[in-house]
Amino acid sequence: MPSVEHRSHKGLNNRAENSHQPARQRERAMKGFRSVGAAQRFLAAFSGISPHFRPRRHLMTATDYRTEMIIRFAIWNQITGSVGLPAAA
């Protein structure tokens, strides 16, 4: 289109790229899975477990965070029955 001004600059494409952000996040989450179904099955189970180990750290002091994590890992060990198992090296 000869009548249109063509500009090229490092930041001109940012708006288009940012609109693809959700798609890129989904792609990143899919990494390592063989199919969409496998990713969905894993993420469905993982989404219930993940918040258990990610307390809202910004709302706690370091001492409260450590205490909370000790409690959460004790609960996890009790539920999974992994107490006393040797740690993998």
Side-chain angles (χ1 to χ4, degrees), residues 37-59:
Q40 187 61 46
R41 283 191 303 275
F42 171 77
L43 293 172
F46 185 73
S47 65
I49 297 166
S50 177
H52 182 75
F53 294 104
R54 291 188 291 135
R56 299 180 62 151
R57 174 67 182 94
H58 65 286
L59 300 176

Side-chain angles (χ1 to χ4, degrees), residues 82 84-89:
S82 61
L85 294 177

Side-chain angles (χ1 to χ4, degrees), residues 15-83:
R15 187 170 184 176
E17 287 300 323
N18 284 336
S19 70
H20 292 103
Q21 203 92 22
R24 292 195 187 281
Q25 287 172 345
R26 285 194 303 273
E27 288 170 6
R28 208 171 11 240
M30 262 299 290
K31 233 185 250 185
F33 293 101
R34 293 184 185 273
S35 68
V36 175
Q40 187 61 46
R41 283 191 303 275
F42 171 77
L43 293 172
F46 185 73
S47 65
I49 297 166
S50 177
H52 182 75
F53 294 104
R54 291 188 291 135
R56 299 180 62 151
R57 174 67 182 94
H58 65 286
L59 300 176
M60 304 177 172
T61 64
T63 307
D64 291 343
Y65 175 76
R66 284 191 291 270
T67 305
E68 183 66 26
M69 290 309 289
I70 288 170
I71 292 168
R72 289 180 184 212
F73 273 101
I75 292 168
W76 179 255
N77 290 336
Q78 184 180 9
I79 290 171
T80 60
S82 61
V83 177

